[in-house]
Amino acid sequence: MRIFSCILFLLFSFSAFSQKKTLDHTVYDKWESIGERRISNDGKWAGYVKAVQEGDDELLITAVDGSRTVRIPRGYNLTFNSNSSYAVLLIKPLYADTRDARIKKKKPEDMPRDSLAIVNLSNGDIQKTGGVRSYKLPENAPGPLAYLMYKQSDSARKTPAETDEGAELRIDQSLNSVVYREVKNVTEYEWNENGKMMVLEGRRSPAVQGSVNAVIIYRALEDKLDTICRGGNDFGNFAIDSNAYQVAFTAERDSSRRSLQKFHKLWYWKNGMDSAVLIADKNSMGMKLGWTISENRDLMFSSNGSRLYFGTAPIKAARDTSIPDIDRVKLDIWHYNDERLQPQQLVELSSDEKRSYLAMFDLNWKKVVQLGDEKMKDVVITKKGDADQALGFTSDHHDSQWTGEVVHDVFAINVNTGRTRTVVKGIESLPQLSPKGNFISWYDTKKKHFFTWRDSITVNVSAAIPYKLYDEEHDTPNDPEPYSRGRWLRDDDGFIVQDRYDVWKLDPAGRSAPINITKGSGRKTHNKFSYFQPVNEDKEPENGSQVMLRSHHEDNKQMGLYMADLNGRSEPLKLFAGPFMLSAVQKAKNTNVLVYTKESFTQSPDLYLRGVDGVEKKITSVNPQQSNYNWGTVELFRWKAYNGKDATGMIFKPENFVEGKKYPMISYFYERLSDSLYKYRPPAPTRSNLDIMFFVSRGYIVFVPDIRYQKGYPGKGAYDYVVSGARAVVKKGWADSTRLGLQGQSWGGYQICYLITRTKLFAAAWAGAPVANMTSAYGGIRWGSGLNRQFQYEKTQSRIGATLWEKQNLYIENSPLFYVPRITTPLMIMANDEDDAVPWWQGIEMFTAMRRNGKKVWLLNYNGEKHGLLERKNKKDISVREQQFFDWLLKGEKPPRWISDGVPAVEKQNVNL
């Protein structure tokens, strides 16, 4: 009877497994993910968006105790009010309605519009209001709520952003959306943090004779509106101090809206004043000659209310309107003394035109103090703005085109006078200002230590740490980066850094020895500890408190969260750790409740909550349909590379893998990816990378080797690890040596082109956006940033370590183009004509060279696309073509016509699959 039962069980198990489906291209839209997520201040409510790849998302608000879940289709932009009694969010229109409107090319004002939803968390009631553009809740008050409506107008009228009129603002004191105060013709509005006051801009209404633009304050406690400024063209950058006692803003009140040159001014109001007064303009004492108040920087009051920080900028010459546009020359002039090349200047043109420089208005002494200028563009003040010292640094870009690094000179600035003192010159890392402004800190990439400066005294504060503080596995020709940039403690009481495994607290004055707050446990266990702060927190940790640490095990790649004593009195306390990846940790503001996502290769990222009792609760279970499909497994794979070093990679196998059967295998790689062992890889249309899960489900093995490089020989590094690893997998009996493929994007694409010139091992290769010729790519431009490409070859990813003129032989040796006659592997190239990282003619060079030499080669150019595909229709298209290509060469299936015959330009309109 027992034997019969076992046979029945095995038959049932086999039958259940055999019914599992293989992933195909129709499944993408079924796969969900956790998008936006929030936790209430009291830790009793969690909100999250269940997002689909294409279609309508759903927002869920769930009680942590399981008593209630509220579902809002298409909800997003969720906020819990400060006392966790209400939730406020926006609701998108139906995806189908928006898509239909786009197909019909409707005007922006005729597109479907968002709605507002207010959820009463005590009973689950939902109040909705249609046609809402935006809403704002004060950070530290349970209400009131303000929300801006869309203009109710016919299609001939423009949207609120394009009209002088603005739209209706509603102020809801009780968060019930039934009783509210209306304010007409509002364009901008801003609460102070405690919700006592709101400042808003009212635009003139052409329908009302004599109406003017105005700045209005709303006093929430009195439910009262007061106009504090009338007349003007451009109000903005509203600031309210923490006590709701003072208001400041910028305004241009003297010229017409169409004036070619405008001069903004700084306006100020405080309780007891009838109207705002002008406190600074281009003629004020302390303003630089030829400078004016900038409209392109937010204003900020210091926490004690005595200072107002704002922006200034040089007065720009008015545009010359004497030359008609038809006669205006369009020309870029490149000059050898330019700090940045013209392409970089053009990419950064918008930010350069809006650039402003920090200044301070002393509200006690009624004076302007200029803190930044055109040389010292970057000035950092403490978060509260009360410190008497600021940090300033210059940024020299002259050599960055070939070093990849920007060099900084660092200065201490007296906030009260604007005077500067030199701190350090010629450092590559960004400096930091301590929370109270007493210290300036930085990491020196040459000396490989952390330093602090105070009152002209510089101290090496990390010298006593006996371990390296920089990346010990660094393999590019530039200086290695530190394991951390450092984190200041509150009140300047310490500075946190880390070595490869452990975390240290440094005395910023250098008087006390460093404290290993992890007690060496990271080095003993090979757990890499790092200071960790939840994503929704920005406060510095307090000395002597418990801090959170993230762990990542160097050997098995498992992750976890720990708590550590900043005084190092005990080893870190493990909260949880295991075979998963951890991300998006949030902490409730008023209690020690955590919300986070965990994932693994077989477990979709789900939302978890850890209560004050330390008990973990799973909140979501997305993608239950996964159990219906042949999924897969992943494991670390170790072998000996051709350079004699131990190598590590990942092997992905089908869920129904049979030992002894030899599978087709695709090797996919970039540099080092094994730290992502527990990453979930949902089936999704690809930008040009390999959709690992899709191919594994369809009976492929996927091999992902880590690659380590030697300066000057990046191609050989790829060969040593990829080829040796592929052969090691074949030797295990898992892969068929006659059915091996390669797939990679960008740097991975380059390595594939190199590999097929050095080996005949692979039967198929797919290279996205590859560099084929380092000599022609060397002097090109990365159009997305405007940077010259030389730094990549000399100092960073390409790892040549010398100029083209110093080591021309290495540029040729590492360029696949010069060895094309050796190729036997069919190659598919993706090179898009708007690629903003790799010049797309690199793909053309490889294609034409292989074509000339009689090799099998194809090139896909997705018109208008950049380095990786962005449009979903193109992602879907390339996903199908990638499957067809590998199925043909690695599984023996019949190739489609586009592979066998191509598609002539005259049939381009029918290129869709």
Side-chain angles (χ1 to χ4, degrees):
M1 185 66 180
R2 182 178 298 174
I3 294 174
F4 180 70
S5 298
C6 290
I7 292 173
L8 282 178
F9 174 78
L10 290 172
L11 288 173
F12 175 79
S13 300
F14 177 78
S15 175
F17 186 82
S18 64
Q19 292 173 6
K20 286 197 171 185
K21 296 178 287 187
T22 298
L23 291 172
D24 59 37
H25 301 290
T26 67
V27 307
Y28 299 140
D29 294 346
K30 301 175 185 176
W31 244 260
E32 300 171 333
S33 62
I34 303 298
E36 168 192 338
R37 74 284 309 267
R38 300 284 186 273
I39 185 170
S40 62
N41 288 345
D42 62 5
K44 294 181 179 180
W45 296 90
Y48 59 94
V49 170
K50 187 183 289 187
V52 296
Q53 294 185 24
E54 186 173 59
D56 293 316
D57 298 338
E58 182 181 36
L59 185 143
L60 295 90
I61 302 171
T62 184
V64 170
D65 63 9
S67 59
R68 178 182 294 114
T69 295
V70 180
R71 296 175 177 269
I72 301 121
R74 307 181 307 285
Y76 77 106
N77 192 19
L78 169 69
T79 304
F80 291 105
N81 69 338
S82 64
N83 68 2
S84 308
S85 59
Y86 283 87
V88 185
L89 59 132
L90 293 176
I91 300 175
K92 295 179 182 179
L94 284 164
Y95 173 82
D97 291 347
T98 302
R99 173 180 163 82
D100 182 64
R102 287 174 177 165
I103 291 173
K104 294 177 179 177
K105 297 182 179 180
K106 288 189 175 183
K107 296 177 181 179
E109 60 268 27
D110 295 327
M111 294 292 287
R113 292 170 172 177
D114 287 355
S115 300
L116 177 83
I118 302 173
V119 182
N120 186 328
L121 297 176
S122 65
N123 57 24
D125 287 349
I126 304 174
Q127 297 286 337
K128 296 180 181 179
T129 303
V132 175
R133 294 180 60 200
S134 65
Y135 77 87
K136 291 181 181 179
L137 274 170
E139 181 181 356
N140 296 323
L145 162 73
Y147 54 97
L148 191 63
M149 305 295 292
Y150 277 100
K151 190 74 176 179
Q152 299 298 318
S153 58
D154 58 38
S155 61
R157 187 176 294 279
K158 296 180 180 179
T159 61
E162 300 170 323
T163 184
D164 290 337
E165 292 186 52
E168 176 187 309
L169 181 77
R170 296 180 180 179
I171 305 171
D172 183 351
Q173 287 276 14
S174 59
L175 292 182
N176 61 17
S177 77
V178 176
V179 180
Y180 51 83
R181 172 187 279 273
E182 296 180 3
V183 187
K184 301 294 186 181
N185 307 318
V186 173
T187 55
E188 301 290 340
Y189 62 111
E190 195 68 50
W191 288 109
N192 82 315
E193 60 187 31
N194 60 22
K196 293 180 180 179
M197 181 182 290
M198 179 170 60
V199 60
L200 50 94
E201 177 186 5
R203 286 277 175 91
R204 67 182 180 86
S205 174
V208 181
Q209 187 175 5
S211 67
V212 295
N213 296 338
V215 176
I216 302 165
I217 59 170
Y218 172 73
R219 304 173 194 263
L221 296 180
E222 296 94 340
D223 191 24
K224 180 182 178 183
L225 291 165
D226 286 318
T227 299
I228 63 173
C229 188
R230 289 182 179 274
N233 299 315
D234 192 6
F235 299 108
N237 304 306
F238 300 115
I240 312 173
D241 75 343
S242 58
N243 295 316
Y245 184 77
Q246 304 175 99
V247 172
F249 55 93
T250 59
E252 196 289 305
R253 304 185 68 193
D254 302 323
S255 61
S256 71
R257 294 191 64 81
R258 292 179 175 82
S259 175
L260 296 175
Q261 200 168 30
K262 298 179 182 179
F263 300 104
H264 287 75
K265 299 176 182 179
L266 191 60
W267 294 81
Y268 172 80
W269 175 93
K270 68 178 180 180
N271 278 344
M273 294 176 63
D274 179 60
S275 300
V277 297
L278 176 111
I279 58 173
D281 63 9
K282 63 186 177 65
N283 299 314
S284 295
M285 186 73 67
M287 285 288 293
K288 295 187 70 171
L289 185 64
W291 285 42
T292 188
I293 307 297
S294 173
E295 73 274 28
N296 296 313
R297 182 185 285 261
D298 292 337
L299 307 183
M300 186 191 92
F301 283 102
S302 60
S303 64
N304 63 19
S306 66
R307 293 171 177 164
L308 176 64
Y309 292 93
F310 64 102
T312 63
I315 296 171
K316 296 181 178 66
R319 176 181 172 85
D320 184 357
T321 58
S322 64
I323 304 174
D325 283 344
I326 195 173
D327 295 331
R328 195 177 297 276
V329 175
K330 295 183 178 180
L331 170 69
D332 302 328
I333 299 176
W334 299 39
H335 194 281
Y336 66 93
N337 277 335
D338 285 345
E339 181 181 357
R340 295 170 294 158
L341 292 183
Q342 279 286 318
Q344 185 179 356
Q345 292 184 50
L346 292 171
V347 168
E348 299 171 1
L349 180 62
S350 177
S351 59
D352 284 346
E353 289 177 333
K354 295 178 181 179
R355 184 178 296 281
S356 66
Y357 305 90
L358 188 66
M360 184 272 292
F361 187 86
D362 191 311
L363 292 163
N364 292 326
W365 294 96
K366 306 295 189 291
K367 66 175 183 178
V368 172
V369 179
Q370 189 67 47
L371 303 177
D373 56 31
E374 289 172 299
K375 183 178 180 182
M376 189 147 47
K377 298 180 176 70
D378 300 292
V379 175
V380 179
I381 57 175
T382 58
K383 289 180 182 177
K384 294 184 176 181
D386 296 330
D388 291 332
Q389 181 169 273
L391 159 68
F393 55 94
T394 64
S395 300
D396 186 347
H397 293 261
H398 270 103
D399 297 336
S400 64
Q401 303 289 332
W402 47 86
T403 66
E405 295 285 353
V406 178
V407 175
H408 308 288
D409 293 341
V410 184
F411 302 88
I413 306 172
N414 186 308
V415 175
N416 298 307
T417 66
R419 296 193 185 98
T420 63
R421 288 185 289 171
T422 301
V423 175
V424 63
K425 289 192 171 186
I427 64 168
E428 294 177 349
S429 62
L430 288 173
Q432 295 186 54
L433 181 67
S434 64
K436 297 189 75 173
N438 294 315
F439 294 91
I440 293 172
S441 62
W442 67 93
Y443 176 81
D444 192 311
T445 56
K446 306 298 184 188
K447 298 177 180 178
K448 296 180 173 55
H449 277 287
F450 286 90
F451 293 82
T452 61
W453 180 96
R454 180 179 186 179
D455 296 331
S456 300
I457 298 175
T458 300
V459 179
N460 182 337
V461 291
S462 62
I465 295 179
Y467 304 109
K468 295 174 182 177
L469 300 173
Y470 57 88
D471 183 2
E472 298 169 58
E473 298 182 310
H474 180 80
D475 62 2
T476 57
N478 56 358
D479 293 315
E481 293 292 315
Y483 286 110
S484 71
R485 290 291 178 184
R487 174 74 182 187
W488 277 98
L489 302 184
R490 197 178 309 171
D491 299 326
D492 299 359
D493 285 339
F495 191 66
I496 300 174
V497 299
Q498 64 196 61
D499 64 28
R500 182 171 179 172
Y501 299 105
D502 289 300
V503 181
W504 300 76
K505 183 179 75 171
L506 306 179
D507 175 7
R511 300 189 190 98
S512 303
I515 297 174
N516 187 330
I517 69 171
T518 46
K519 304 292 286 184
S521 61
R523 191 164 294 273
K524 286 185 289 187
T525 62
H526 279 203
N527 245 335
K528 293 183 173 182
F529 285 113
S530 58
Y531 172 77
F532 179 75
Q533 192 160 19
V535 294
N536 58 332
E537 284 201 341
D538 62 355
K539 293 181 180 179
E540 299 87 6
E542 188 173 359
N543 196 20
S545 66
Q546 296 279 313
V547 294
M548 195 175 295
L549 303 178
R550 188 203 299 264
S551 69
H552 188 269
H553 200 279
E554 188 172 66
D555 301 327
N556 61 29
K557 313 302 180 183
Q558 295 185 8
M559 295 184 69
L561 278 184
Y562 287 70
M563 297 299 294
D565 174 16
L566 271 175
N567 289 326
R569 288 172 291 213
S570 59
E571 289 193 356
L573 173 67
K574 182 170 70 174
L575 299 180
F576 57 88
F580 51 75
M581 287 191 75
L582 177 72
S583 62
V585 180
Q586 295 187 22
K587 178 185 173 297
K589 184 176 181 179
N590 301 328
T591 185
N592 291 323
V593 175
L594 299 177
V595 168
Y596 46 88
T597 56
K598 291 197 309 187
E599 65 185 277
S600 70
F601 179 66
T602 56
Q603 176 60 56
S604 182
D606 270 310
L607 200 61
Y608 291 78
L609 182 139
R610 183 181 175 88
V612 292
D613 55 2
V615 175
E616 180 180 82
K617 179 180 180 181
K618 186 178 180 182
I619 298 177
T620 66
S621 295
V622 298
N623 299 320
Q625 77 280 7
Q626 177 183 312
S627 62
N628 299 325
Y629 292 91
N630 179 26
W631 203 248
T633 62
V634 63
E635 61 193 81
L636 288 174
F637 182 71
R638 292 183 169 88
W639 74 100
K640 190 75 72 174
Y642 287 154
N643 59 8
K645 295 184 178 180
D646 292 334
T648 302
M650 297 181 288
I651 290 285
F652 297 86
K653 300 175 183 176
E655 184 177 351
N656 57 353
F657 176 82
V658 177
E659 196 70 46
K661 178 181 176 181
K662 294 184 178 182
Y663 291 80
M665 183 177 81
I666 301 173
S667 295
Y668 169 77
F669 45 87
Y670 192 77
E671 291 190 0
R672 282 176 253 170
L673 299 174
S674 66
D675 280 351
S676 66
L677 178 70
Y678 294 108
K679 177 183 175 66
Y680 184 76
R681 294 167 168 85
T686 177
R687 295 187 63 193
S688 182
N689 308 89
L690 187 74
D691 183 350
I692 291 176
M693 194 59 257
F694 181 85
F695 281 93
V696 169
S697 178
R698 300 183 70 82
Y700 288 83
I701 288 177
V702 175
F703 172 50
V704 183
D706 286 352
I707 304 170
R708 299 180 187 275
Y709 303 89
Q710 178 185 351
K711 184 174 75 172
Y713 301 93
K716 185 177 183 301
Y719 180 87
D720 285 346
Y721 284 85
V722 177
V723 178
S724 67
R727 291 192 183 280
V729 179
V730 169
K731 189 175 181 179
K732 289 284 288 185
W734 297 337
D736 184 339
S737 64
T738 67
R739 296 189 291 160
L740 303 180
L742 297 168
Q743 203 280 349
Q745 162 73 8
S746 191
W747 179 242
Y750 154 72
Q751 293 174 99
I752 285 169
C753 290
Y754 177 92
L755 288 171
I756 62 175
T757 68
R758 296 319 199 264
T759 180
K760 299 178 181 180
L761 179 64
F762 299 98
W766 183 294
V771 165
N773 182 357
M774 287 191 176
T775 66
S776 60
Y778 174 75
I781 297 294
R782 294 180 64 94
W783 295 107
S785 63
L787 292 174
N788 181 247
R789 295 176 55 83
Q790 293 177 17
F791 75 91
Q792 293 178 241
Y793 299 92
E794 296 176 30
K795 292 291 185 180
T796 61
Q797 190 171 63
S798 297
R799 296 172 169 87
I800 300 299
T803 71
L804 178 62
W805 307 279
E806 292 168 335
K807 294 289 180 68
Q808 188 181 99
N809 62 310
L810 292 181
Y811 283 84
I812 293 173
E813 181 177 338
N814 286 282
S815 295
L817 185 77
F818 298 102
Y819 304 94
V820 163
R822 300 179 179 178
I823 295 175
T824 60
T825 304
L827 175 66
M828 183 71 65
I829 301 168
M830 185 199 77
N832 301 323
D833 50 25
E834 291 293 330
D835 194 319
D836 55 355
V838 171
W840 85 293
W841 52 84
Q842 286 293 310
I844 295 173
E845 285 192 51
M846 191 69 183
F847 175 85
T848 56
M850 289 185 67
R851 183 175 183 270
R852 174 71 181 271
N853 282 272
K855 310 298 181 180
K856 291 181 179 179
V857 63
W858 301 257
L859 189 146
L860 305 178
N861 168 23
Y862 286 90
N863 301 164
E865 284 277 21
K866 297 186 183 296
H867 192 55
L869 300 178
L870 297 176
E871 291 196 45
R872 187 170 177 83
K873 62 183 179 183
N874 293 336
K875 293 179 183 179
K876 286 183 174 182
D877 183 89
I878 201 172
S879 297
V880 175
R881 296 185 195 277
E882 194 170 80
Q883 179 209 332
Q884 291 172 338
F885 179 73
F886 284 118
D887 281 357
W888 166 47
L889 291 170
L890 302 187
K891 283 189 170 183
E893 295 188 7
K894 183 179 179 180
R897 177 174 172 248
W898 71 270
I899 289 180
S900 60
D901 301 331
V903 180
V906 294
E907 297 182 22
K908 183 176 178 178
Q909 72 275 13
N910 299 320
V911 76
N912 281 37
L913 290 164

